[in-house]
Amino acid sequence: MAGTMSRLLLFLLASAFAMADDPYRYFTWTVTYGTISPLGVPQQGIFVNGQFPGPRLDCTTNDNIIINVINQIDEPLLLTWNGIKQRKNSWQDGVLGTNCPIPPKGNYTYKFQTKDQIGTFTYFPSTGMHRAAGGFGALNVHQRTLIPVPYAPPAGDFSLLVGDWYKSSHKALRKTLDSGSPLPFPHGLLINGVEKGSTFAGDQGKTYLFRISNVGFETSINFRIQNHKLKLVEIEGSHTLQNLYDSLDIHVGQSLSVLVTLDQTPSDYYIVASTRFTRKVLTSSGVLHYSNSNSGLSGAIPAGPATGAHWSMLQARTFRWNLTANAARPNPQGTYHYGNITRSKSISVANSAPVINGKIRYAVNGVSFVLPDTPLKLADYFNISGVFTWDDVTTPMGTPVLRFNLHDFIEVVFQNTEKTIQTWHLDGYDFWVVGYGSGEWSENLRRRYNLVDAVARHTVQVYPNSWSAILASLDNEGMWNLRSAMWARQYLGQQLYVRVWTPEKSYFNEYAIPQNALLCGKASGFHV
């Protein structure tokens, strides 16, 4: 009893200091349906506070975010905060493995901290196929005033949400997948909710920060600005070496930031996004407008790269961590020497598209994930049996959870034997992408790993018939979703959960279950 009281006192003291030092930001978001026509055809969209895409959420490192989400659509809903680590707090992750969904006409208040992060992130609805109707938006975490970023303050800061889009409703797309058929090729590509016409204005000679996120369903994109260089400065919370590019590939679920200097003749210039690795190329365009320009757009829309996956893989290898730049805390972000740490465990993750019971499914290591009615986090917390299976399963459909110890340092090799590019995301963490390669991975390929300045990020692409390798320090206790970022594949089973755990119960390792936690399924009869 005394030990419990001591831990509680320490937690309350820590909370009091956090409240004193770190600001609280309060929001109320109402999620509704509304009519949108991004591709010229009226369809049902999902709005947040009447906006499509949803409102941009700007905050500062270590801010405490309190968002009351009111669900006014006709289906249960969750929002997830893509790339926010949710330190010690998988209770707020906003996916069906950790949270009960918000029922229609109900609400839930998310409470989380943007702890020790700076960078470009997004949020989106994680339930069903809601993401295909909207509900997504930009989530940008800015540095505290005492932490300089490795570039001069830009004259402006723009968020660009780029993604493929369907004319069909999210319910129609879900029906297609439930029937056992794959989705058709997307009908278009959008920038900030429109196919053409998004305009970003600036002054000649000044430099602007462009934050670009791929919020689409299945297609990688290439981003470029006519006659302008892109200086890469940040990828998903990591400052990078500031290389210049004519164009950049951005894969599903990924985000990055570039500096663009308006150093051309005053005019209007094309901002272009186009799909990659697709037979039919979808293109969306916007406008970079010089404030002193009297000229409109001229010339042809600049073409994207002429070559495919090999070019993209070579470009990805040029993304390097800036080891001398400050992180969210006042020390260089490269002071953690990940390349010198001994691996605790190595796992292989292979994607596949099996046909099970006459219907197409997607799988991880041959197992297609079945989502139970009870969130896995609640089943684990309340010790409810029969909800999931620990570690490997041998059935073609199951609900596996991989067990790891807190502070394990693991290697994950993603193996893609399909002809299409894949992307993978891990909630609760960023990880070092240490290698890409063609063909089948083997142990001798470890000698090619970048163990010095690989970029830490939360989503990694795996090229067709290729592999990608990551290293991750499992220092964040909780139940975390490892999933395909390509949402139809996730919906039909290409995901699993990872439990990071220690027998030592402490608020320094994991926060308590929220008092407002929604309970459902087999957890309905329990009390918080």
Side-chain angles (χ1 to χ4, degrees), residues 292-408:
N292 57 341
S293 168
N294 294 316
S295 303
L297 294 167
S298 62
I301 292 179
T307 54
H310 182 67
W311 181 95
S312 186
M313 187 186 294
L314 291 177
Q315 182 184 79
R317 288 174 179 160
T318 68
F319 300 163
R320 298 298 180 99
W321 217 17
N322 185 340
L323 301 183
T324 62
N326 273 321
R329 293 183 179 185
N331 58 277
Q333 62 181 3
T335 54
Y336 187 82
H337 299 296
Y338 69 91
N340 296 331
I341 301 173
T342 302
R343 297 184 308 276
S344 307
K345 221 178 253 191
S346 296
I347 63 172
S348 177
V349 172
N351 52 271
S352 58
V355 175
I356 302 174
N357 298 326
K359 295 183 178 181
I360 190 169
R361 295 281 300 185
Y362 297 103
V364 181
N365 294 346
V367 179
S368 186
F369 188 88
V370 178
L371 196 65
D373 293 334
T374 307
L376 285 65
K377 180 66 178 173
L378 293 180
D380 190 30
Y381 179 79
F382 290 117
N383 197 26
I384 301 170
S385 62
V387 174
F388 59 83
T389 304
W390 290 121
D391 303 316
D392 295 332
V393 295
T394 57
T395 58
M397 298 179 68
T399 308
V401 175
L402 301 184
R403 287 179 287 188
F404 294 96
N405 295 320
L406 184 64
H407 301 303
D408 275 352

Side-chain angles (χ1 to χ4, degrees), residues 129-141:
M129 298 294 283
H130 293 141
R131 180 173 171 176
F136 52 77
L139 199 173
N140 301 323
V141 183

Side-chain angles (χ1 to χ4, degrees), residues 31 108-109 138 212 270 284 320 338 350 369 380 382 384 400 419 474 488 511 516:
V31 181
Y108 177 73
T109 300
I212 309 110
Y270 285 109
S284 180
R320 298 298 180 99
Y338 69 91
F369 188 88
D380 190 30
F382 290 117
I384 301 170
K419 295 179 181 179
L474 301 185
Y511 296 143
N516 67 331

